[in-house]
PDB file of all heavy atoms in Angstrom:
ATOM      1  N   ILE A1045      73.043 -12.410 -75.655  1.00  0.00           N
ATOM      2  CA  ILE A1045      73.944 -12.155 -76.751  1.00  0.00           C
ATOM      3  C   ILE A1045      73.794 -13.229 -77.856  1.00  0.00           C
ATOM      4  O   ILE A1045      73.799 -14.392 -77.444  1.00  0.00           O
ATOM      5  CB  ILE A1045      75.339 -11.939 -76.485  1.00  0.00           C
ATOM      6  CG1 ILE A1045      75.605 -10.818 -75.491  1.00  0.00           C
ATOM      7  CG2 ILE A1045      76.266 -11.650 -77.682  1.00  0.00           C
ATOM      8  CD1 ILE A1045      76.961 -10.796 -74.757  1.00  0.00           C
ATOM      9  N   GLU A1046      73.431 -12.794 -79.079  1.00  0.00           N
ATOM     10  CA  GLU A1046      73.392 -13.810 -80.136  1.00  0.00           C
ATOM     11  C   GLU A1046      74.322 -13.321 -81.296  1.00  0.00           C
ATOM     12  O   GLU A1046      74.254 -12.265 -81.654  1.00  0.00           O
ATOM     13  CB  GLU A1046      71.975 -13.899 -80.669  1.00  0.00           C
ATOM     14  CG  GLU A1046      71.852 -15.018 -81.723  1.00  0.00           C
ATOM     15  CD  GLU A1046      70.377 -15.281 -82.115  1.00  0.00           C
ATOM     16  OE1 GLU A1046      69.464 -14.571 -81.614  1.00  0.00           O
ATOM     17  OE2 GLU A1046      70.274 -16.218 -82.982  1.00  0.00           O
ATOM     18  N   ILE A1047      75.045 -14.257 -81.661  1.00  0.00           N
ATOM     19  CA  ILE A1047      76.123 -13.975 -82.765  1.00  0.00           C
ATOM     20  C   ILE A1047      75.685 -14.631 -84.081  1.00  0.00           C
ATOM     21  O   ILE A1047      75.352 -15.783 -84.148  1.00  0.00           O
ATOM     22  CB  ILE A1047      77.513 -14.380 -82.242  1.00  0.00           C
ATOM     23  CG1 ILE A1047      77.946 -13.848 -80.975  1.00  0.00           C
ATOM     24  CG2 ILE A1047      78.581 -14.200 -83.462  1.00  0.00           C
ATOM     25  CD1 ILE A1047      78.063 -12.245 -81.026  1.00  0.00           C
ATOM     26  N   GLY A1048      75.827 -13.849 -85.148  1.00  0.00           N
ATOM     27  CA  GLY A1048      75.647 -14.435 -86.501  1.00  0.00           C
ATOM     28  C   GLY A1048      74.188 -14.716 -86.898  1.00  0.00           C
ATOM     29  O   GLY A1048      74.025 -15.703 -87.623  1.00  0.00           O
ATOM     30  N   HIS A1095      75.890   1.056 -88.840  1.00  0.00           N
ATOM     31  CA  HIS A1095      75.714  -0.376 -88.756  1.00  0.00           C
ATOM     32  C   HIS A1095      74.978  -0.863 -87.411  1.00  0.00           C
ATOM     33  O   HIS A1095      75.075  -1.968 -87.063  1.00  0.00           O
ATOM     34  CB  HIS A1095      77.029  -1.082 -88.896  1.00  0.00           C
ATOM     35  CG  HIS A1095      77.825  -0.617 -90.035  1.00  0.00           C
ATOM     36  ND1 HIS A1095      77.420  -0.820 -91.380  1.00  0.00           N
ATOM     37  CD2 HIS A1095      79.025  -0.064 -90.101  1.00  0.00           C
ATOM     38  CE1 HIS A1095      78.317  -0.228 -92.167  1.00  0.00           C
ATOM     39  NE2 HIS A1095      79.393   0.260 -91.392  1.00  0.00           N
ATOM     40  N   VAL A1096      74.364   0.042 -86.760  1.00  0.00           N
ATOM     41  CA  VAL A1096      73.756  -0.204 -85.449  1.00  0.00           C
ATOM     42  C   VAL A1096      72.229   0.206 -85.470  1.00  0.00           C
ATOM     43  O   VAL A1096      71.857   1.377 -85.761  1.00  0.00           O
ATOM     44  CB  VAL A1096      74.457   0.487 -84.269  1.00  0.00           C
ATOM     45  CG1 VAL A1096      73.744   0.133 -82.981  1.00  0.00           C
ATOM     46  CG2 VAL A1096      75.896   0.055 -84.129  1.00  0.00           C
ATOM     47  N   THR A1115      72.413  -8.628 -80.756  1.00  0.00           N
ATOM     48  CA  THR A1115      72.396  -9.559 -81.863  1.00  0.00           C
ATOM     49  C   THR A1115      73.177  -9.097 -83.004  1.00  0.00           C
ATOM     50  O   THR A1115      72.980  -7.978 -83.553  1.00  0.00           O
ATOM     51  CB  THR A1115      70.892  -9.782 -82.369  1.00  0.00           C
ATOM     52  OG1 THR A1115      70.173 -10.205 -81.257  1.00  0.00           O
ATOM     53  CG2 THR A1115      70.931 -10.908 -83.418  1.00  0.00           C
ATOM     54  N   THR A1116      74.171  -9.823 -83.397  1.00  0.00           N
ATOM     55  CA  THR A1116      74.928  -9.521 -84.611  1.00  0.00           C
ATOM     56  C   THR A1116      74.309 -10.266 -85.745  1.00  0.00           C
ATOM     57  O   THR A1116      73.804 -11.233 -85.688  1.00  0.00           O
ATOM     58  CB  THR A1116      76.427  -9.856 -84.521  1.00  0.00           C
ATOM     59  OG1 THR A1116      76.665 -11.191 -84.388  1.00  0.00           O
ATOM     60  CG2 THR A1116      77.099  -9.076 -83.386  1.00  0.00           C
ATOM     61  N   LEU A1117      74.224  -9.638 -86.906  1.00  0.00           N
ATOM     62  CA  LEU A1117      73.728 -10.138 -88.193  1.00  0.00           C
ATOM     63  C   LEU A1117      74.737 -10.665 -89.147  1.00  0.00           C
ATOM     64  O   LEU A1117      75.744  -9.955 -89.401  1.00  0.00           O
ATOM     65  CB  LEU A1117      72.786  -9.070 -88.789  1.00  0.00           C
ATOM     66  CG  LEU A1117      71.655  -8.492 -87.923  1.00  0.00           C
ATOM     67  CD1 LEU A1117      71.129  -7.349 -88.652  1.00  0.00           C
ATOM     68  CD2 LEU A1117      70.656  -9.633 -87.593  1.00  0.00           C
ATOM     69  N   GLN A1118      74.450 -11.843 -89.723  1.00  0.00           N
ATOM     70  CA  GLN A1118      75.435 -12.380 -90.716  1.00  0.00           C
ATOM     71  C   GLN A1118      74.644 -13.022 -91.783  1.00  0.00           C
ATOM     72  O   GLN A1118      73.943 -13.938 -91.625  1.00  0.00           O
ATOM     73  CB  GLN A1118      76.332 -13.369 -90.112  1.00  0.00           C
ATOM     74  CG  GLN A1118      77.434 -13.832 -90.999  1.00  0.00           C
ATOM     75  CD  GLN A1118      78.336 -12.608 -91.579  1.00  0.00           C
ATOM     76  OE1 GLN A1118      78.510 -11.732 -90.773  1.00  0.00           O
ATOM     77  NE2 GLN A1118      78.671 -12.698 -92.739  1.00  0.00           N
ATOM     78  N   PRO A1120      75.074  -8.718 -92.723  1.00  0.00           N
ATOM     79  CA  PRO A1120      74.433  -7.526 -92.444  1.00  0.00           C
ATOM     80  C   PRO A1120      73.264  -7.140 -93.242  1.00  0.00           C
ATOM     81  O   PRO A1120      73.215  -7.688 -94.482  1.00  0.00           O
ATOM     82  CB  PRO A1120      75.535  -6.398 -92.656  1.00  0.00           C
ATOM     83  CG  PRO A1120      76.802  -7.165 -92.611  1.00  0.00           C
ATOM     84  CD  PRO A1120      76.596  -8.535 -93.090  1.00  0.00           C
ATOM     85  N   ILE A1131      73.052  -2.929 -91.448  1.00  0.00           N
ATOM     86  CA  ILE A1131      73.072  -3.055 -90.041  1.00  0.00           C
ATOM     87  C   ILE A1131      73.799  -4.442 -89.700  1.00  0.00           C
ATOM     88  O   ILE A1131      73.421  -5.438 -90.200  1.00  0.00           O
ATOM     89  CB  ILE A1131      71.664  -2.986 -89.444  1.00  0.00           C
ATOM     90  CG1 ILE A1131      70.991  -1.713 -89.727  1.00  0.00           C
ATOM     91  CG2 ILE A1131      71.611  -3.336 -87.980  1.00  0.00           C
ATOM     92  CD1 ILE A1131      71.684  -0.473 -89.232  1.00  0.00           C
ATOM     93  N   LYS A1132      74.727  -4.327 -88.843  1.00  0.00           N
ATOM     94  CA  LYS A1132      75.532  -5.386 -88.345  1.00  0.00           C
ATOM     95  C   LYS A1132      75.175  -5.814 -86.960  1.00  0.00           C
ATOM     96  O   LYS A1132      75.395  -7.071 -86.489  1.00  0.00           O
ATOM     97  CB  LYS A1132      77.019  -5.101 -88.272  1.00  0.00           C
ATOM     98  CG  LYS A1132      77.597  -4.765 -89.707  1.00  0.00           C
ATOM     99  CD  LYS A1132      79.001  -4.408 -89.619  1.00  0.00           C
ATOM    100  CE  LYS A1132      79.608  -4.048 -90.978  1.00  0.00           C
ATOM    101  NZ  LYS A1132      81.058  -3.723 -90.828  1.00  0.00           N
ATOM    102  N   LEU A1133      74.567  -4.806 -86.225  1.00  0.00           N
ATOM    103  CA  LEU A1133      74.228  -5.104 -84.768  1.00  0.00           C
ATOM    104  C   LEU A1133      72.903  -4.556 -84.419  1.00  0.00           C
ATOM    105  O   LEU A1133      72.615  -3.367 -84.628  1.00  0.00           O
ATOM    106  CB  LEU A1133      75.309  -4.505 -83.826  1.00  0.00           C
ATOM    107  CG  LEU A1133      75.104  -4.453 -82.353  1.00  0.00           C
ATOM    108  CD1 LEU A1133      75.110  -6.003 -81.786  1.00  0.00           C
ATOM    109  CD2 LEU A1133      76.133  -3.631 -81.655  1.00  0.00           C
ATOM    110  N   GLU A1159      84.683   3.782 -81.460  1.00  0.00           N
ATOM    111  CA  GLU A1159      84.824   2.948 -82.714  1.00  0.00           C
ATOM    112  C   GLU A1159      85.627   1.695 -82.547  1.00  0.00           C
ATOM    113  O   GLU A1159      85.272   0.772 -83.206  1.00  0.00           O
ATOM    114  CB  GLU A1159      85.460   3.879 -83.828  1.00  0.00           C
ATOM    115  CG  GLU A1159      84.551   4.980 -84.252  1.00  0.00           C
ATOM    116  CD  GLU A1159      85.252   5.883 -85.300  1.00  0.00           C
ATOM    117  OE1 GLU A1159      86.058   5.451 -86.027  1.00  0.00           O
ATOM    118  OE2 GLU A1159      84.679   7.035 -85.457  1.00  0.00           O
ATOM    119  N   LYS A1160      86.659   1.695 -81.710  1.00  0.00           N
ATOM    120  CA  LYS A1160      87.462   0.477 -81.537  1.00  0.00           C
ATOM    121  C   LYS A1160      86.672  -0.671 -80.863  1.00  0.00           C
ATOM    122  O   LYS A1160      86.739  -1.829 -81.228  1.00  0.00           O
ATOM    123  CB  LYS A1160      88.661   0.831 -80.717  1.00  0.00           C
ATOM    124  CG  LYS A1160      89.713   1.746 -81.328  1.00  0.00           C
ATOM    125  CD  LYS A1160      90.820   1.996 -80.492  1.00  0.00           C
ATOM    126  CE  LYS A1160      91.876   2.898 -81.178  1.00  0.00           C
ATOM    127  NZ  LYS A1160      93.076   3.123 -80.391  1.00  0.00           N
ATOM    128  N   THR A1161      85.934  -0.303 -79.834  1.00  0.00           N
ATOM    129  CA  THR A1161      85.082  -1.258 -79.280  1.00  0.00           C
ATOM    130  C   THR A1161      83.965  -1.856 -80.296  1.00  0.00           C
ATOM    131  O   THR A1161      83.795  -2.989 -80.281  1.00  0.00           O
ATOM    132  CB  THR A1161      84.297  -0.668 -77.973  1.00  0.00           C
ATOM    133  OG1 THR A1161      85.304  -0.299 -77.066  1.00  0.00           O
ATOM    134  CG2 THR A1161      83.426  -1.751 -77.380  1.00  0.00           C
ATOM    135  N   MET A1162      83.336  -0.914 -80.938  1.00  0.00           N
ATOM    136  CA  MET A1162      82.411  -1.338 -81.897  1.00  0.00           C
ATOM    137  C   MET A1162      82.945  -2.245 -83.018  1.00  0.00           C
ATOM    138  O   MET A1162      82.316  -3.368 -83.329  1.00  0.00           O
ATOM    139  CB  MET A1162      81.699  -0.149 -82.601  1.00  0.00           C
ATOM    140  CG  MET A1162      80.791   0.659 -81.617  1.00  0.00           C
ATOM    141  SD  MET A1162      79.503  -0.340 -80.759  1.00  0.00           S
ATOM    142  CE  MET A1162      78.583  -0.930 -82.171  1.00  0.00           C
ATOM    143  N   ALA A1163      84.127  -1.952 -83.500  1.00  0.00           N
ATOM    144  CA  ALA A1163      84.902  -2.797 -84.452  1.00  0.00           C
ATOM    145  C   ALA A1163      85.000  -4.161 -83.825  1.00  0.00           C
ATOM    146  O   ALA A1163      84.695  -5.254 -84.552  1.00  0.00           O
ATOM    147  CB  ALA A1163      86.129  -2.240 -84.897  1.00  0.00           C
ATOM    148  N   LYS A1164      85.375  -4.340 -82.670  1.00  0.00           N
ATOM    149  CA  LYS A1164      85.541  -5.651 -81.959  1.00  0.00           C
ATOM    150  C   LYS A1164      84.216  -6.402 -81.831  1.00  0.00           C
ATOM    151  O   LYS A1164      84.121  -7.549 -81.946  1.00  0.00           O
ATOM    152  CB  LYS A1164      86.155  -5.500 -80.647  1.00  0.00           C
ATOM    153  CG  LYS A1164      87.653  -5.044 -80.662  1.00  0.00           C
ATOM    154  CD  LYS A1164      88.229  -4.790 -79.344  1.00  0.00           C
ATOM    155  CE  LYS A1164      89.615  -4.203 -79.392  1.00  0.00           C
ATOM    156  NZ  LYS A1164      90.111  -3.839 -78.091  1.00  0.00           N
ATOM    157  N   LEU A1165      83.267  -5.599 -81.396  1.00  0.00           N
ATOM    158  CA  LEU A1165      81.875  -6.157 -81.335  1.00  0.00           C
ATOM    159  C   LEU A1165      81.380  -6.803 -82.690  1.00  0.00           C
ATOM    160  O   LEU A1165      80.810  -7.921 -82.710  1.00  0.00           O
ATOM    161  CB  LEU A1165      80.740  -5.234 -80.686  1.00  0.00           C
ATOM    162  CG  LEU A1165      81.038  -4.658 -79.336  1.00  0.00           C
ATOM    163  CD1 LEU A1165      80.069  -3.706 -78.942  1.00  0.00           C
ATOM    164  CD2 LEU A1165      81.142  -5.856 -78.387  1.00  0.00           C
ATOM    165  N   PHE A1166      81.469  -6.119 -83.717  1.00  0.00           N
ATOM    166  CA  PHE A1166      81.052  -6.423 -84.990  1.00  0.00           C
ATOM    167  C   PHE A1166      81.723  -7.752 -85.399  1.00  0.00           C
ATOM    168  O   PHE A1166      81.091  -8.612 -86.177  1.00  0.00           O
ATOM    169  CB  PHE A1166      81.334  -5.366 -86.113  1.00  0.00           C
ATOM    170  CG  PHE A1166      80.485  -4.097 -85.917  1.00  0.00           C
ATOM    171  CD1 PHE A1166      81.039  -2.898 -86.298  1.00  0.00           C
ATOM    172  CD2 PHE A1166      79.237  -4.128 -85.447  1.00  0.00           C
ATOM    173  CE1 PHE A1166      80.352  -1.708 -86.221  1.00  0.00           C
ATOM    174  CE2 PHE A1166      78.485  -3.035 -85.333  1.00  0.00           C
ATOM    175  CZ  PHE A1166      78.991  -1.788 -85.670  1.00  0.00           C
ATOM    176  N   VAL A1167      82.967  -7.971 -85.105  1.00  0.00           N
ATOM    177  CA  VAL A1167      83.672  -9.213 -85.661  1.00  0.00           C
ATOM    178  C   VAL A1167      83.703 -10.285 -84.528  1.00  0.00           C
ATOM    179  O   VAL A1167      84.342 -11.269 -84.760  1.00  0.00           O
ATOM    180  CB  VAL A1167      85.045  -8.913 -86.140  1.00  0.00           C
ATOM    181  CG1 VAL A1167      84.862  -7.841 -87.281  1.00  0.00           C
ATOM    182  CG2 VAL A1167      85.926  -8.316 -85.068  1.00  0.00           C
ATOM    183  N   SER A1168      82.978 -10.120 -83.366  1.00  0.00           N
ATOM    184  CA  SER A1168      83.064 -11.265 -82.374  1.00  0.00           C
ATOM    185  C   SER A1168      82.479 -12.529 -82.978  1.00  0.00           C
ATOM    186  O   SER A1168      81.405 -12.464 -83.699  1.00  0.00           O
ATOM    187  CB  SER A1168      82.188 -10.781 -81.267  1.00  0.00           C
ATOM    188  OG  SER A1168      82.824  -9.743 -80.572  1.00  0.00           O
ATOM    189  N   THR A1169      83.145 -13.649 -82.686  1.00  0.00           N
ATOM    190  CA  THR A1169      82.662 -14.904 -83.159  1.00  0.00           C
ATOM    191  C   THR A1169      81.898 -15.765 -82.243  1.00  0.00           C
ATOM    192  O   THR A1169      81.455 -16.887 -82.575  1.00  0.00           O
ATOM    193  CB  THR A1169      83.889 -15.691 -83.783  1.00  0.00           C
ATOM    194  OG1 THR A1169      84.797 -15.972 -82.657  1.00  0.00           O
ATOM    195  CG2 THR A1169      84.578 -14.929 -84.876  1.00  0.00           C
ATOM    196  N   SER A1170      81.771 -15.238 -80.956  1.00  0.00           N
ATOM    197  CA  SER A1170      81.044 -16.027 -79.903  1.00  0.00           C
ATOM    198  C   SER A1170      80.360 -15.017 -78.977  1.00  0.00           C
ATOM    199  O   SER A1170      80.862 -13.942 -78.798  1.00  0.00           O
ATOM    200  CB  SER A1170      81.951 -16.969 -79.204  1.00  0.00           C
ATOM    201  OG  SER A1170      82.844 -16.208 -78.342  1.00  0.00           O
ATOM    202  N   SER A1171      79.405 -15.542 -78.242  1.00  0.00           N
ATOM    203  CA  SER A1171      78.795 -14.611 -77.261  1.00  0.00           C
ATOM    204  C   SER A1171      79.704 -14.228 -76.139  1.00  0.00           C
ATOM    205  O   SER A1171      79.634 -13.186 -75.681  1.00  0.00           O
ATOM    206  CB  SER A1171      77.536 -15.423 -76.664  1.00  0.00           C
ATOM    207  OG  SER A1171      76.587 -15.750 -77.612  1.00  0.00           O
ATOM    208  N   GLU A1172      80.559 -15.137 -75.787  1.00  0.00           N
ATOM    209  CA  GLU A1172      81.599 -14.867 -74.763  1.00  0.00           C
ATOM    210  C   GLU A1172      82.457 -13.876 -75.245  1.00  0.00           C
ATOM    211  O   GLU A1172      82.839 -12.851 -74.408  1.00  0.00           O
ATOM    212  CB  GLU A1172      82.386 -16.190 -74.409  1.00  0.00           C
ATOM    213  CG  GLU A1172      81.469 -17.308 -73.811  1.00  0.00           C
ATOM    214  CD  GLU A1172      80.746 -18.172 -74.716  1.00  0.00           C
ATOM    215  OE1 GLU A1172      80.779 -17.944 -76.029  1.00  0.00           O
ATOM    216  OE2 GLU A1172      79.876 -18.935 -74.262  1.00  0.00           O
ATOM    217  N   GLU A1173      83.011 -13.856 -76.452  1.00  0.00           N
ATOM    218  CA  GLU A1173      83.945 -12.940 -76.978  1.00  0.00           C
ATOM    219  C   GLU A1173      83.201 -11.498 -76.982  1.00  0.00           C
ATOM    220  O   GLU A1173      83.721 -10.440 -76.559  1.00  0.00           O
ATOM    221  CB  GLU A1173      84.442 -13.320 -78.268  1.00  0.00           C
ATOM    222  CG  GLU A1173      85.413 -12.303 -78.898  1.00  0.00           C
ATOM    223  CD  GLU A1173      85.831 -12.719 -80.337  1.00  0.00           C
ATOM    224  OE1 GLU A1173      85.376 -13.586 -80.889  1.00  0.00           O
ATOM    225  OE2 GLU A1173      86.591 -11.943 -80.939  1.00  0.00           O
ATOM    226  N   PHE A1174      81.981 -11.509 -77.480  1.00  0.00           N
ATOM    227  CA  PHE A1174      81.258 -10.139 -77.570  1.00  0.00           C
ATOM    228  C   PHE A1174      81.112  -9.606 -76.083  1.00  0.00           C
ATOM    229  O   PHE A1174      81.275  -8.388 -75.965  1.00  0.00           O
ATOM    230  CB  PHE A1174      79.833 -10.539 -78.210  1.00  0.00           C
ATOM    231  CG  PHE A1174      79.058  -9.246 -78.496  1.00  0.00           C
ATOM    232  CD1 PHE A1174      79.028  -8.806 -79.723  1.00  0.00           C
ATOM    233  CD2 PHE A1174      78.268  -8.620 -77.450  1.00  0.00           C
ATOM    234  CE1 PHE A1174      78.190  -7.560 -79.923  1.00  0.00           C
ATOM    235  CE2 PHE A1174      77.530  -7.505 -77.648  1.00  0.00           C
ATOM    236  CZ  PHE A1174      77.470  -7.051 -78.985  1.00  0.00           C
ATOM    237  N   TYR A1175      80.695 -10.451 -75.150  1.00  0.00           N
ATOM    238  CA  TYR A1175      80.468  -9.973 -73.808  1.00  0.00           C
ATOM    239  C   TYR A1175      81.780  -9.398 -73.197  1.00  0.00           C
ATOM    240  O   TYR A1175      81.729  -8.312 -72.658  1.00  0.00           O
ATOM    241  CB  TYR A1175      80.025 -11.187 -72.907  1.00  0.00           C
ATOM    242  CG  TYR A1175      79.842 -10.952 -71.510  1.00  0.00           C
ATOM    243  CD1 TYR A1175      78.599 -10.288 -71.150  1.00  0.00           C
ATOM    244  CD2 TYR A1175      80.833 -11.138 -70.585  1.00  0.00           C
ATOM    245  CE1 TYR A1175      78.379  -9.961 -69.797  1.00  0.00           C
ATOM    246  CE2 TYR A1175      80.610 -10.792 -69.243  1.00  0.00           C
ATOM    247  CZ  TYR A1175      79.332 -10.131 -68.893  1.00  0.00           C
ATOM    248  OH  TYR A1175      79.130  -9.819 -67.550  1.00  0.00           O
ATOM    249  N   HIS A1177      84.243  -7.995 -74.868  1.00  0.00           N
ATOM    250  CA  HIS A1177      84.516  -6.687 -75.582  1.00  0.00           C
ATOM    251  C   HIS A1177      83.570  -5.663 -74.999  1.00  0.00           C
ATOM    252  O   HIS A1177      83.967  -4.472 -74.853  1.00  0.00           O
ATOM    253  CB  HIS A1177      84.406  -6.876 -77.056  1.00  0.00           C
ATOM    254  CG  HIS A1177      85.493  -7.632 -77.674  1.00  0.00           C
ATOM    255  ND1 HIS A1177      86.878  -7.414 -77.396  1.00  0.00           N
ATOM    256  CD2 HIS A1177      85.388  -8.704 -78.639  1.00  0.00           C
ATOM    257  CE1 HIS A1177      87.533  -8.261 -78.211  1.00  0.00           C
ATOM    258  NE2 HIS A1177      86.765  -9.061 -78.883  1.00  0.00           N
ATOM    259  N   LEU A1178      82.336  -6.017 -74.792  1.00  0.00           N
ATOM    260  CA  LEU A1178      81.284  -5.187 -74.299  1.00  0.00           C
ATOM    261  C   LEU A1178      81.721  -4.650 -72.896  1.00  0.00           C
ATOM    262  O   LEU A1178      81.659  -3.454 -72.559  1.00  0.00           O
ATOM    263  CB  LEU A1178      79.908  -5.835 -74.270  1.00  0.00           C
ATOM    264  CG  LEU A1178      78.744  -5.007 -73.767  1.00  0.00           C
ATOM    265  CD1 LEU A1178      78.374  -3.920 -74.765  1.00  0.00           C
ATOM    266  CD2 LEU A1178      77.605  -5.942 -73.697  1.00  0.00           C
TER     267      LEU A1178
END
Side-chain angles (χ1 to χ4, degrees):
I1045 300 165
E1046 183 172 3
I1047 302 298
H1095 313 298
V1096 179
T1115 306
T1116 64
L1117 300 171
Q1118 189 56 39
I1131 301 304
K1132 297 178 182 180
L1133 173 65
E1159 291 181 23
K1160 289 181 182 180
T1161 298
M1162 291 306 297
K1164 291 175 184 176
L1165 294 176
F1166 290 147
V1167 299
S1168 294
T1169 58
S1170 70
S1171 297
E1172 294 81 4
E1173 180 183 3
F1174 187 101
Y1175 180 81
H1177 292 312
L1178 184 67

